[in-house]
Short mmCIF file of all heavy atoms in Angstrom, two decimals:
data_model
loop_
_atom_site.label_atom_id
_atom_site.label_comp_id
_atom_site.label_asym_id
_atom_site.label_seq_id
_atom_site.Cartn_x
_atom_site.Cartn_y
_atom_site.Cartn_z
N ASP W 247 80.37 73.96 85.07
CA ASP W 247 81.03 72.74 85.53
C ASP W 247 82.19 73.06 86.48
O ASP W 247 83.00 72.20 86.79
CB ASP W 247 81.54 71.91 84.35
CG ASP W 247 82.54 72.67 83.48
OD1 ASP W 247 82.92 73.79 83.84
OD2 ASP W 247 82.95 72.11 82.44
N ASP W 248 82.23 74.33 86.93
CA ASP W 248 83.26 74.72 87.90
C ASP W 248 82.62 75.24 89.19
O ASP W 248 83.21 76.05 89.90
CB ASP W 248 84.20 75.76 87.30
CG ASP W 248 83.49 77.05 86.90
OD1 ASP W 248 82.24 77.08 86.95
OD2 ASP W 248 84.18 78.02 86.53
N ASN W 249 81.41 74.78 89.50
CA ASN W 249 80.70 75.24 90.69
C ASN W 249 81.35 74.73 91.97
O ASN W 249 81.08 75.24 93.06
CB ASN W 249 79.24 74.82 90.65
CG ASN W 249 79.07 73.35 90.30
OD1 ASN W 249 79.61 72.90 89.29
ND2 ASN W 249 78.32 72.61 91.09
N ALA W 250 82.21 73.71 91.87
CA ALA W 250 82.96 73.20 93.02
C ALA W 250 84.45 73.24 92.70
O ALA W 250 85.19 72.29 92.96
CB ALA W 250 82.51 71.79 93.38
N ASP W 251 84.89 74.37 92.15
CA ASP W 251 86.28 74.47 91.70
C ASP W 251 87.24 74.55 92.88
O ASP W 251 86.86 74.84 94.02
CB ASP W 251 86.46 75.69 90.79
CG ASP W 251 86.23 77.00 91.51
OD1 ASP W 251 85.42 77.03 92.45
OD2 ASP W 251 86.86 78.01 91.13
N ARG W 252 88.52 74.29 92.58
CA ARG W 252 89.60 74.39 93.56
C ARG W 252 90.63 75.37 93.04
O ARG W 252 91.28 75.13 92.02
CB ARG W 252 90.21 73.01 93.80
CG ARG W 252 89.24 72.05 94.47
CD ARG W 252 89.74 70.63 94.52
NE ARG W 252 88.85 69.79 95.33
CZ ARG W 252 89.01 68.48 95.48
NH1 ARG W 252 90.01 67.86 94.86
NH2 ARG W 252 88.17 67.79 96.24
N ASP W 253 90.76 76.47 93.75
CA ASP W 253 91.66 77.54 93.38
C ASP W 253 92.55 77.81 94.59
O ASP W 253 92.14 78.49 95.53
CB ASP W 253 90.84 78.78 93.00
CG ASP W 253 91.70 79.91 92.46
OD1 ASP W 253 92.94 79.78 92.46
OD2 ASP W 253 91.12 80.93 92.04
N GLU W 254 93.77 77.24 94.59
CA GLU W 254 94.56 77.15 95.81
C GLU W 254 95.98 77.68 95.59
O GLU W 254 96.70 77.22 94.69
CB GLU W 254 94.62 75.69 96.28
CG GLU W 254 93.23 75.13 96.53
CD GLU W 254 93.17 73.63 96.72
OE1 GLU W 254 94.21 72.96 96.52
OE2 GLU W 254 92.09 73.11 97.07
N LEU W 255 96.35 78.64 96.41
CA LEU W 255 97.68 79.25 96.36
C LEU W 255 98.45 78.88 97.62
O LEU W 255 97.95 79.05 98.74
CB LEU W 255 97.56 80.77 96.25
CG LEU W 255 98.87 81.56 96.32
CD1 LEU W 255 99.72 81.32 95.06
CD2 LEU W 255 98.60 83.06 96.49
N THR W 256 99.67 78.38 97.44
CA THR W 256 100.54 78.03 98.57
C THR W 256 101.85 78.80 98.43
O THR W 256 102.47 78.78 97.36
CB THR W 256 100.84 76.53 98.59
OG1 THR W 256 99.62 75.80 98.71
CG2 THR W 256 101.76 76.17 99.74
N SER W 257 102.26 79.48 99.48
CA SER W 257 103.53 80.20 99.44
C SER W 257 104.21 80.12 100.80
O SER W 257 103.56 80.20 101.85
CB SER W 257 103.31 81.67 99.05
OG SER W 257 102.43 82.31 99.96
N ARG W 258 105.53 79.93 100.78
CA ARG W 258 106.31 79.83 102.01
C ARG W 258 107.66 80.52 101.83
O ARG W 258 108.26 80.45 100.76
CB ARG W 258 106.56 78.37 102.39
CG ARG W 258 105.34 77.56 102.71
CD ARG W 258 105.72 76.19 103.27
NE ARG W 258 104.56 75.34 103.50
CZ ARG W 258 104.07 74.49 102.62
NH1 ARG W 258 104.66 74.37 101.44
NH2 ARG W 258 103.01 73.76 102.90
N ILE W 259 108.11 81.14 102.90
CA ILE W 259 109.46 81.69 102.97
C ILE W 259 110.09 81.18 104.26
O ILE W 259 109.47 81.31 105.34
CB ILE W 259 109.47 83.23 102.96
CG1 ILE W 259 108.85 83.76 101.67
CG2 ILE W 259 110.89 83.76 103.13
CD1 ILE W 259 108.70 85.28 101.66
N ARG W 260 111.27 80.60 104.18
CA ARG W 260 111.97 80.14 105.37
C ARG W 260 113.41 80.64 105.33
O ARG W 260 114.09 80.56 104.30
CB ARG W 260 111.95 78.60 105.46
CG ARG W 260 110.54 78.02 105.52
CD ARG W 260 110.53 76.54 105.81
NE ARG W 260 111.01 76.24 107.16
CZ ARG W 260 110.94 75.03 107.71
NH1 ARG W 260 110.41 74.01 107.02
NH2 ARG W 260 111.38 74.82 108.93
N LEU W 261 113.85 81.17 106.46
CA LEU W 261 115.23 81.64 106.62
C LEU W 261 115.86 80.90 107.80
O LEU W 261 115.20 80.68 108.82
CB LEU W 261 115.27 83.14 106.90
CG LEU W 261 114.75 84.07 105.80
CD1 LEU W 261 114.72 85.51 106.31
CD2 LEU W 261 115.62 83.96 104.55
N ARG W 262 117.11 80.53 107.64
CA ARG W 262 117.86 79.89 108.73
C ARG W 262 119.18 80.64 108.92
O ARG W 262 119.98 80.75 108.00
CB ARG W 262 118.13 78.42 108.43
CG ARG W 262 119.07 77.73 109.43
CD ARG W 262 119.01 76.23 109.31
NE ARG W 262 117.72 75.72 109.76
CZ ARG W 262 117.37 74.43 109.68
NH1 ARG W 262 118.21 73.55 109.16
NH2 ARG W 262 116.19 74.04 110.13
N TRP W 263 119.36 81.15 110.12
CA TRP W 263 120.57 81.89 110.45
C TRP W 263 121.44 81.01 111.36
O TRP W 263 121.05 80.67 112.47
CB TRP W 263 120.23 83.21 111.16
CG TRP W 263 121.44 84.02 111.53
CD1 TRP W 263 122.62 84.11 110.84
CD2 TRP W 263 121.57 84.86 112.67
NE1 TRP W 263 123.50 84.95 111.48
CE2 TRP W 263 122.88 85.43 112.61
CE3 TRP W 263 120.73 85.21 113.73
CZ2 TRP W 263 123.35 86.32 113.58
CZ3 TRP W 263 121.19 86.09 114.69
CH2 TRP W 263 122.49 86.64 114.61
N LEU W 264 122.61 80.66 110.86
CA LEU W 264 123.57 79.88 111.63
C LEU W 264 124.43 80.87 112.40
O LEU W 264 125.54 81.22 111.99
CB LEU W 264 124.41 79.00 110.71
CG LEU W 264 123.60 78.12 109.73
CD1 LEU W 264 124.52 77.40 108.76
CD2 LEU W 264 122.73 77.13 110.49
N ALA W 265 123.88 81.34 113.52
CA ALA W 265 124.53 82.43 114.25
C ALA W 265 125.91 82.03 114.74
O ALA W 265 126.82 82.87 114.80
CB ALA W 265 123.65 82.86 115.42
N SER W 266 126.07 80.78 115.14
CA SER W 266 127.36 80.26 115.58
C SER W 266 127.27 78.75 115.54
O SER W 266 126.24 78.18 115.15
CB SER W 266 127.70 80.76 116.99
OG SER W 266 126.85 80.16 117.94
N GLU W 267 128.32 78.09 115.95
CA GLU W 267 128.28 76.63 115.97
C GLU W 267 127.26 76.12 116.98
O GLU W 267 126.82 74.98 116.89
CB GLU W 267 129.66 76.07 116.32
CG GLU W 267 130.71 76.31 115.23
CD GLU W 267 132.03 75.67 115.58
OE1 GLU W 267 132.13 75.09 116.69
OE2 GLU W 267 132.96 75.74 114.75
N ARG W 268 126.85 76.96 117.92
CA ARG W 268 125.96 76.53 119.00
C ARG W 268 124.58 77.17 118.95
O ARG W 268 123.70 76.80 119.74
CB ARG W 268 126.60 76.83 120.36
CG ARG W 268 127.86 76.01 120.61
CD ARG W 268 128.65 76.50 121.81
NE ARG W 268 127.80 76.95 122.90
CZ ARG W 268 128.03 78.07 123.61
NH1 ARG W 268 129.06 78.85 123.29
NH2 ARG W 268 127.23 78.39 124.60
N HIS W 269 124.35 78.10 118.04
CA HIS W 269 123.07 78.82 118.02
C HIS W 269 122.53 78.89 116.59
O HIS W 269 123.24 79.30 115.67
CB HIS W 269 123.24 80.24 118.57
CG HIS W 269 123.79 80.28 119.97
ND1 HIS W 269 123.02 79.97 121.07
CD2 HIS W 269 125.02 80.58 120.44
CE1 HIS W 269 123.76 80.08 122.16
NE2 HIS W 269 124.98 80.45 121.81
N THR W 270 121.26 78.49 116.45
CA THR W 270 120.57 78.54 115.17
C THR W 270 119.22 79.22 115.34
O THR W 270 118.53 79.01 116.34
CB THR W 270 120.35 77.12 114.60
OG1 THR W 270 121.60 76.45 114.49
CG2 THR W 270 119.69 77.18 113.24
N LEU W 271 118.85 80.04 114.37
CA LEU W 271 117.56 80.73 114.39
C LEU W 271 116.84 80.47 113.08
O LEU W 271 117.44 80.59 112.00
CB LEU W 271 117.78 82.23 114.60
CG LEU W 271 116.54 83.12 114.73
CD1 LEU W 271 116.84 84.29 115.67
CD2 LEU W 271 116.12 83.67 113.36
N ASP W 272 115.56 80.10 113.18
CA ASP W 272 114.74 79.83 111.99
C ASP W 272 113.53 80.75 111.99
O ASP W 272 112.78 80.81 112.97
CB ASP W 272 114.26 78.38 112.00
CG ASP W 272 115.36 77.40 111.63
OD1 ASP W 272 115.58 77.20 110.42
OD2 ASP W 272 116.01 76.86 112.55
N LEU W 273 113.32 81.41 110.86
CA LEU W 273 112.16 82.27 110.65
C LEU W 273 111.35 81.69 109.50
O LEU W 273 111.90 81.39 108.43
CB LEU W 273 112.58 83.69 110.32
CG LEU W 273 111.46 84.67 109.93
CD1 LEU W 273 110.53 84.92 111.11
CD2 LEU W 273 112.04 85.98 109.41
N GLY W 274 110.05 81.50 109.73
CA GLY W 274 109.20 80.97 108.67
C GLY W 274 107.95 81.79 108.51
O GLY W 274 107.36 82.27 109.49
N MET W 275 107.52 81.97 107.26
CA MET W 275 106.27 82.66 106.95
C MET W 275 105.52 81.85 105.90
O MET W 275 106.10 81.39 104.92
CB MET W 275 106.54 84.08 106.45
CG MET W 275 107.06 85.02 107.52
SD MET W 275 107.36 86.70 106.92
CE MET W 275 108.84 86.42 105.94
N THR W 276 104.23 81.68 106.14
CA THR W 276 103.38 80.89 105.25
C THR W 276 102.11 81.66 104.93
O THR W 276 101.49 82.26 105.82
CB THR W 276 103.00 79.54 105.91
OG1 THR W 276 104.18 78.79 106.16
CG2 THR W 276 102.08 78.74 105.01
N TYR W 277 101.74 81.64 103.65
CA TYR W 277 100.47 82.21 103.22
C TYR W 277 99.79 81.19 102.32
O TYR W 277 100.36 80.78 101.30
CB TYR W 277 100.66 83.52 102.47
CG TYR W 277 99.37 84.10 101.93
CD1 TYR W 277 98.45 84.72 102.77
CD2 TYR W 277 99.08 84.02 100.57
CE1 TYR W 277 97.26 85.23 102.28
CE2 TYR W 277 97.89 84.54 100.06
CZ TYR W 277 96.99 85.15 100.92
OH TYR W 277 95.80 85.65 100.43
N ILE W 278 98.60 80.75 102.71
CA ILE W 278 97.83 79.78 101.93
C ILE W 278 96.43 80.34 101.71
O ILE W 278 95.76 80.73 102.67
CB ILE W 278 97.77 78.42 102.63
CG1 ILE W 278 99.18 77.82 102.76
CG2 ILE W 278 96.86 77.46 101.88
CD1 ILE W 278 99.24 76.49 103.46
N ASP W 279 96.01 80.38 100.45
CA ASP W 279 94.70 80.93 100.10
C ASP W 279 93.92 79.86 99.34
O ASP W 279 94.23 79.54 98.20
CB ASP W 279 94.88 82.17 99.23
CG ASP W 279 93.56 82.88 98.93
OD1 ASP W 279 92.55 82.53 99.57
OD2 ASP W 279 93.54 83.77 98.06
N MET W 280 92.90 79.30 100.01
CA MET W 280 92.05 78.27 99.42
C MET W 280 90.72 78.93 99.02
O MET W 280 89.83 79.11 99.85
CB MET W 280 91.79 77.15 100.43
CG MET W 280 93.03 76.64 101.16
SD MET W 280 94.09 75.64 100.13
CE MET W 280 93.15 74.13 100.04
N ASP W 281 90.60 79.30 97.77
CA ASP W 281 89.40 80.00 97.28
C ASP W 281 88.54 79.00 96.51
O ASP W 281 88.41 79.06 95.29
CB ASP W 281 89.82 81.17 96.40
CG ASP W 281 88.65 82.07 96.04
OD1 ASP W 281 87.58 81.94 96.68
OD2 ASP W 281 88.79 82.88 95.10
N ASN W 282 87.92 78.08 97.25
CA ASN W 282 87.25 76.94 96.63
C ASN W 282 85.73 77.09 96.64
O ASN W 282 85.16 77.65 97.58
CB ASN W 282 87.61 75.64 97.37
CG ASN W 282 89.10 75.33 97.24
OD1 ASN W 282 89.77 75.77 96.32
ND2 ASN W 282 89.61 74.56 98.18
N GLY W 283 85.11 76.54 95.61
CA GLY W 283 83.66 76.48 95.57
C GLY W 283 83.16 75.26 96.33
O GLY W 283 83.89 74.29 96.55
N TYR W 284 81.88 75.30 96.74
CA TYR W 284 81.30 74.17 97.46
C TYR W 284 79.85 74.00 97.02
O TYR W 284 78.98 74.83 97.33
CB TYR W 284 81.38 74.40 98.98
CG TYR W 284 80.72 73.31 99.78
CD1 TYR W 284 81.15 71.99 99.68
CD2 TYR W 284 79.66 73.60 100.64
CE1 TYR W 284 80.54 70.99 100.41
CE2 TYR W 284 79.05 72.60 101.39
CZ TYR W 284 79.49 71.29 101.27
OH TYR W 284 78.89 70.31 101.99
N ASP W 285 79.60 72.93 96.29
CA ASP W 285 78.26 72.64 95.76
C ASP W 285 78.19 71.12 95.59
O ASP W 285 78.24 70.60 94.48
CB ASP W 285 78.06 73.36 94.43
CG ASP W 285 76.62 73.32 93.94
OD1 ASP W 285 75.72 73.07 94.75
OD2 ASP W 285 76.42 73.52 92.72
N ALA W 286 78.08 70.40 96.71
CA ALA W 286 78.38 68.97 96.72
C ALA W 286 77.16 68.06 96.71
O ALA W 286 77.26 66.92 96.29
CB ALA W 286 79.25 68.63 97.93
N PHE W 287 76.00 68.54 97.19
CA PHE W 287 74.86 67.64 97.40
C PHE W 287 73.75 67.90 96.39
O PHE W 287 73.49 69.04 96.00
CB PHE W 287 74.31 67.81 98.82
CG PHE W 287 75.19 67.21 99.87
CD1 PHE W 287 76.19 67.98 100.47
CD2 PHE W 287 75.05 65.89 100.25
CE1 PHE W 287 77.01 67.43 101.43
CE2 PHE W 287 75.86 65.34 101.22
CZ PHE W 287 76.85 66.11 101.81
N SER W 288 73.10 66.81 95.99
CA SER W 288 71.94 66.92 95.11
C SER W 288 70.83 66.03 95.65
O SER W 288 71.08 65.05 96.36
CB SER W 288 72.29 66.48 93.68
OG SER W 288 72.45 65.07 93.60
#
């Protein structure tokens, strides 16, 4: 009964550097792993 299962991992890292009152730097990293089954039609 898990032939169309959903196994989903979401991960994010975000950094914001307020270098000065006039300069901002944003670094972002995302990893998403959708390990899903597919058995939809009969």
Side-chain angles (χ1 to χ4, degrees):
D247 59 6
D248 61 352
N249 48 307
D251 65 330
R252 294 171 172 176
D253 186 354
E254 302 168 352
L255 174 69
T256 300
S257 58
R258 297 188 184 92
I259 299 174
R260 300 188 68 171
L261 296 174
R262 172 165 292 176
W263 180 33
L264 308 174
S266 69
E267 292 183 358
R268 294 168 37 223
H269 302 285
T270 303
L271 183 148
D272 285 275
L273 174 66
M275 290 181 287
T276 298
Y277 176 74
I278 297 179
D279 186 12
M280 313 287 286
D281 189 14
N282 296 336
Y284 176 59
D285 190 20
F287 287 90
S288 73

